[in-house]
């Protein structure tokens, strides 16, 4: 019975929405407004859950490695991207450059004070990560579109993963875009705190959604 529920295409979207809304609602109810930012900042409970999620994701990837015949170009890329995501969540980008806060933003490459050697190195890193993502997108996009309408549970989990990731990025950029559109006037502290919660809590669930997709794929492989 539990396996049947887990392999339903509705499992991941329903469970994610239920857990995410409950988590966000509970924090807003008990901690709004002044107590939200301490929970979402570096070292807070949301970050702890996120880090743990990526550790679990990497562990699951090691367990399911035999499910992938192409270890280098598929499973290897998944593991590489999971490690990159974990390192990013750990804040490694803030300790790489000697002259800037992070080497992975456009302003780093446009700043003439940053060394050319660092720009080349970190530009290459960005290209490798982007190349890995593009490779997966090209390889699986057609299958994902077709299988989505066939209610493939893995595809639906991947759709949730991508949607949550894109929405989190949109929320992340919203405060700065708001300031630009309103002559430097920032959002109110309460609104900003809620947006931070929405962004960080969404990112917190990303590794867990990926784990669900990986395990659903594993079960489908066994059934076939």
């Amino acid at each position: 019975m539990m396996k049947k529920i887990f392999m339903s295409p509705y499992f991941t979207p329903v469970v994610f929405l239920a857990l995410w809304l409950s988590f966000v609602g509970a924090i807003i109810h008990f901690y709004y407004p002044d107590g939200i930012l301490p929970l979402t900042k570096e070292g807070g409970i949301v970050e702890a859950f996120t880090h743990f999620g990526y550790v679990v994701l990497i562990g699951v990837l090691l367990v399911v490695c035999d499910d992938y015949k192409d270890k280098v170009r598929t499973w290897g890329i998944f593991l590489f991207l999971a490690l990159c995501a974990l390192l990013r969540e750990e804040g490694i980008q803030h300790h790489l450059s000697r002259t800037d806060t992070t080497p992975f933003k456009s302003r780093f490459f446009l700043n003439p004070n940053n060394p050319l050697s660092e720009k080349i190195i970190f530009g290459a890193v960005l290209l490798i990560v982007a190349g890995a993502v593009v490779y997966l997108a090209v390889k699986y996009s057609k299958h994902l579109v077709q299988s989505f309408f066939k209610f493939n549970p893995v595809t639906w989990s991947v759709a949730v993963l991508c949607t949550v990731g894109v929405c989190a990025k949109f929320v992340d950029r919203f405060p700065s875009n708001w300031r630009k559109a309103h002559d430097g006037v920032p959002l109110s502290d309460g609104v900003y705190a809620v947006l931070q919660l929405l962004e960080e809590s969404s990112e917190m669930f990303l590794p867990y959604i990926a784990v669900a997709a990986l395990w659903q794929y594993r079960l489908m492989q066994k059934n076939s």
Side-chain angles (χ1 to χ4, degrees):
M1 180 64 177
M2 292 301 297
K3 181 179 178 181
K4 184 177 181 180
I5 294 174
F6 180 67
M7 294 302 292
S8 167
Y10 306 114
F11 175 82
T12 300
V14 170
V15 171
F16 162 72
L17 281 175
L19 293 177
W20 181 69
L21 290 174
S22 299
F23 183 82
V24 170
I27 290 182
I28 291 176
H29 177 74
F30 291 107
Y31 295 98
Y32 181 84
D34 297 331
I36 292 180
L37 288 180
L39 296 178
T40 59
K41 70 178 183 179
E42 184 176 352
I45 186 173
V46 176
E47 185 182 66
F49 276 120
T50 306
H51 292 175
F52 179 73
Y54 281 108
V55 172
V56 172
L57 174 58
I58 292 170
V60 170
L61 277 167
L62 295 176
V63 170
V64 304
C65 64
D66 290 336
D67 296 342
Y68 299 86
K69 297 179 181 179
D70 188 349
K71 292 289 193 304
V72 176
R73 289 183 296 176
T74 302
W75 178 84
I77 291 178
F78 290 154
L79 181 61
F80 170 71
L81 293 177
L83 289 170
C84 289
L86 175 60
L87 291 174
R88 177 189 174 277
E89 290 298 329
E90 292 286 352
I92 191 175
Q93 67 272 17
H94 301 305
H95 307 285
L96 295 176
S97 175
R98 294 170 295 172
T99 57
D100 211 329
T101 56
T102 175
F104 297 126
K105 291 187 177 181
S106 59
R107 69 168 182 264
F108 171 83
F109 297 97
L110 297 175
N111 188 344
N113 296 321
N114 293 326
L116 178 61
S117 59
E118 288 191 356
K119 292 180 180 180
I120 294 174
I121 293 172
F122 298 125
V125 172
L126 284 177
L127 287 175
I128 292 172
V129 174
V133 174
V134 170
Y135 173 82
L136 292 177
V138 172
K139 182 176 181 179
Y140 291 108
S141 58
K142 182 178 179 180
H143 169 73
L144 289 174
V145 172
Q146 293 175 342
S147 59
F148 180 85
F149 295 102
K150 295 179 180 178
F151 296 94
N152 183 305
V154 179
T155 302
W156 278 56
S157 294
V158 172
V160 174
L161 179 70
C162 295
T163 301
V164 174
V166 170
C167 290
K169 191 62 180 176
F170 173 80
V171 175
D172 177 43
R173 299 301 305 165
F174 186 83
S176 61
N177 291 335
W178 173 275
R179 285 196 301 271
K180 292 177 182 178
H182 294 81
D183 298 323
V185 178
L187 294 165
S188 66
D189 292 342
V191 173
Y192 177 76
V194 171
L195 289 176
Q196 285 293 105
L197 174 62
L198 295 178
E199 177 207 346
E200 297 295 336
S201 62
S202 297
E203 292 182 350
M204 179 186 78
F205 278 99
L206 292 178
Y208 299 102
I209 297 171
V211 167
L214 287 170
W215 209 258
Q216 286 173 331
Y217 180 76
R218 181 178 179 83
L219 293 177
M220 289 184 66
Q221 290 293 96
K222 287 185 176 181
N223 291 337
S224 62

